[in-house]
Amino acid sequence: MEMTGVSLKRGYLVVEGNDCMGPAEEIKKQKVSECCLPKDGDRLDSDCLPTSETEPKTPEVVSAGKGKKNSGAQLEEEEEEDGFSEEGEEEEAESFAEMMKHGLTELDVGITKFVSSHQGFSGILKERYSDFIVHEIGKDGQISHLDDLSVPVDEEDPSEDVFMVLTTEEKQQLEELQLFKNKETSVAIEVIEDTKEKRTIIHQAIKSLFPGLETKTEDRAGRKYIVAYHAAGKKALANARAIRSLLVVGASSLPYPRKHSWPKSRGSYCHFVLYKENKDTMDAINVLSKYLRVKPNIFSYMGTKDKRAITVQEIAVLKISAQRLAHLNKCLMNFKLGNFSYQKTPLKLGELQGNHFTVVLRNITGTDDQVQQAMNSLKEIGFINYYGMQRFGTTAVPTYQVGRAILQNSWTEVMDLILKPRSGAEKGYLVKCREEWAKTKDPTAALKKLPVKRCVEGQLLRGLSKYGMKNIVSAFGIIPRNNRLMYIHSYQSYVWNNMVSKRIEDYGLKPVPGDLVLKGATATYIEEEDITNYSIHDVVMPLPGFDVIYPKHKISEAYREMLTMDNLDIDNMRHKIRDYSLSGAYRKIIIRPQNVSWEVVVYDDPKIPLFNTDVDNLEGKPPPVFASEGKYRALKMDFSLPPSTYATMAIREVLKMDTSIKNQTQLNTTWLR
């Protein structure tokens, strides 16, 4: 069966939680309005500012997504999205191809099978990030759309003038007062046009925009001033300053002032739909929190969404009014907030029912018959529910190898795998850091080579500097928990991919006695007499752990053999460090997308969008009209997937391609030139 590749130009996969892995390039900062952006830069990192990129003319490589892993003996409740990297700056195609010779292929991570028999064809995925749109499917089964920018009417909300009455300088002074950043105990704002209405608006503006500050009106030399001061009083102010001087830390680590009053009749959480372009969910929340001057942890959501895409999802925030949120639409680019409502509860990870994808594959080579066969197969049979390539990293040291070393309790190997020099695509300063580490084994010296300390390598080196080389476990513990667990989840995914490929090779696309199915959250075996009650879409396979059962056929022995080869005991998956004990989970082996539709369109200009976004519809833009003939053909696909599935694996099944950068680079070296 012929495999054809997606066209590729410079790109890389982003490893979740590690901004040092892969040749990330400088990102151009977008111009943002000063209407509500605080001046101080030390509360959030500068890279939390909204950024924008010119729409690229070259395609991105296929990767897969981010998500929180919730490992339990049940069907996975994790949100997986497809993450695509940013384009590099000018670099030679041959040099990138040379670097990627050391990357992974699908074969390396157990992705080897297809379910359909049609002939593959090529196409360009994510030539523009607007070619990939994700709409969240909420817990009520409804697809989230941004289609209403109106604000719920509430008499207790201040007037719109409160957002415009203060100058940028006054906002900066008030924020410094709010966060105990200066020696002053108050800030006085002169009322230039002294009227009662003007004074009222200034009072409201300060209390609304700077929670924790109170105000009063004073006469000074015949002029009226609004004086802002801390509601908690001078004693609390002195205590906060004492804490600051003792800890020598930034304001962001100090407790925030108390929130202003919130109407009792209103739900505590404002739910809204967030439309964003080319920004992942956490970055987006960092931007919103900076503009609103609040901590990011007051936001909640049901799942993380891809960066290199247009995504629409529901967000909830604690005690921030719809009016304040709607004002951000005037300040932010590539964001839009709407569909506001007040609710009593926040959102929780995993509550969503899935995601609806609208994807354009440009410049396709397949005939209409090939496309029809491929899409019919996707609709009727589905695709193998593999973990996609991003799960495993992009460099010569796959993340699953680190995960395996953690499970083996081989901490020196964990340290070496993360820090040793490696072949492949990496930033120059990271290469120098690794060389310094290999030469000196001095974590402090190696750390000095890193201008970015937040990456996994920097965090581990900082831990080694603090705890010493004989306490690698504690040093590794400095890395955020989700990032540490990413490694062992990667190993689980590696095992699962390999076992599913073997299951399909040995038994095909039909259920057999000894397979596992779920009844509720409990896995049970398919018996011979029950075989006709099930289809391949019911069959699940376990991620290895201490709280799962394995199939009652030869695939069970294959699990045991694979873990034994890796010096792990399948009968004892508990780790002496509780965080690294794997309970396991179950995952369906075949996913059949819902709401599948498609059309082939022709076009001449590769820059034109091929469908409308929610914002286009709000602005009343007519949908694109296609000619009957054109230079290029594109396949526009729509489909819905449950949580914990990779859209790129569905697209892989359609195109019959290897989604790894290494393979695509080899297939497209001539095109790259």
Side-chain angles (χ1 to χ4, degrees), residues 132 149 160 275 438 456 539 650:
F132 199 93
L149 300 182
E160 189 69 18
Y275 168 103
V456 168
V539 176

Side-chain angles (χ1 to χ4, degrees), residues 197-470:
E197 291 75 15
K198 182 68 175 289
R199 292 197 302 271
T200 299
I201 291 172
I202 296 175
H203 283 293
Q204 289 178 335
I206 294 172
K207 292 178 181 179
S208 297
L209 299 178
F210 302 94
L213 297 185
E214 293 290 355
T215 57
K216 60 185 177 181
T217 303
E218 289 186 359
D219 281 307
R220 297 182 182 181
R223 296 181 177 181
K224 282 281 196 304
Y225 288 83
I226 306 298
V227 179
Y229 59 95
H230 270 282
K234 293 183 179 180
K235 184 176 180 181
L237 183 61
N239 289 342
R241 287 178 181 153
I243 293 171
R244 171 183 283 280
S245 63
L246 288 171
L247 297 180
V248 196
V249 294
S252 60
S253 61
L254 291 172
Y256 266 58
R258 69 171 177 84
K259 297 285 186 292
H260 61 286
S261 60
W262 186 261
K264 292 181 179 179
S265 59
R266 179 195 288 173
S268 294
Y269 295 88
C270 184
H271 288 230
F272 61 95
V273 169
L274 172 66
Y275 168 103
K276 61 182 180 62
E277 298 181 3
N278 209 29
K279 181 77 66 177
D280 70 32
T281 300
M282 283 312 303
D283 283 344
I285 284 179
N286 282 337
V287 171
L288 297 179
S289 63
K290 187 173 182 72
Y291 275 78
L292 293 167
R293 300 177 176 86
V294 296
K295 284 190 173 181
N297 63 6
I298 71 170
F299 291 86
S300 58
Y301 47 89
M302 295 183 287
T304 57
K305 296 289 178 282
D306 183 25
K307 174 178 181 177
R308 187 151 178 76
I310 292 174
T311 69
V312 181
Q313 70 181 117
E314 188 176 353
I315 305 286
V317 60
L318 176 64
K319 292 186 178 179
I320 299 292
S321 70
Q323 186 183 36
R324 286 185 68 189
L325 292 168
H327 184 68
L328 297 181
N329 288 332
K330 301 177 181 179
C331 307
L332 298 174
M333 295 175 65
N334 297 338
F335 289 82
K336 194 70 77 174
L337 289 66
N339 296 81
F340 301 103
S341 65
Y342 292 108
Q343 309 287 340
K344 294 181 180 179
T345 56
L347 297 170
K348 294 180 181 177
L349 275 171
E351 283 185 327
L352 78 170
Q353 288 195 20
N355 295 285
H356 184 79
F357 297 87
T358 303
V359 178
V360 168
L361 303 176
R362 291 182 182 250
N363 200 18
I364 60 169
T365 61
T367 66
D368 287 347
D369 283 345
Q370 285 177 300
V371 171
Q372 186 79 7
Q373 289 175 27
M375 294 306 299
N376 277 330
S377 174
L378 183 69
K379 182 177 182 178
E380 294 166 11
I381 303 174
F383 63 96
I384 303 170
N385 194 19
Y386 286 125
Y387 288 96
M389 294 303 297
Q390 186 181 342
R391 191 78 162 183
F392 308 102
T394 57
T395 65
V397 179
T399 51
Y400 73 79
Q401 291 184 4
V402 180
R404 178 169 56 202
I406 293 170
L407 295 173
Q408 292 169 341
N409 221 31
S410 302
W411 292 101
T412 300
E413 184 181 358
V414 171
M415 177 180 67
D416 288 342
L417 285 169
I418 294 174
L419 297 178
K420 71 180 181 180
R422 59 182 67 174
S423 303
E426 287 201 308
K427 294 179 182 177
Y429 61 75
L430 193 51
V431 172
K432 292 177 182 177
C433 169
R434 297 190 190 285
E435 290 172 348
E436 181 68 29
W437 172 256
K439 182 172 65 177
T440 66
K441 288 292 191 278
D442 181 344
T444 303
L447 195 59
K448 288 179 181 177
K449 302 289 185 181
L450 282 181
V452 178
K453 306 293 194 292
R454 291 178 296 116
C455 59
V456 168
E457 291 82 359
Q459 290 161 335
L460 178 56
L461 288 168
R462 190 159 51 87
L464 292 170
S465 298
K466 180 176 181 179
Y467 293 106
M469 300 285 285
K470 293 184 178 179

Side-chain angles (χ1 to χ4, degrees), residues 14-31:
V14 178
V15 179
E16 182 181 353
N18 182 356
D19 58 5
C20 284
M21 291 187 180
E25 306 298 335
E26 281 293 312
I27 297 176
K28 297 177 182 178
K29 300 294 183 185
Q30 74 174 23
K31 294 179 181 179

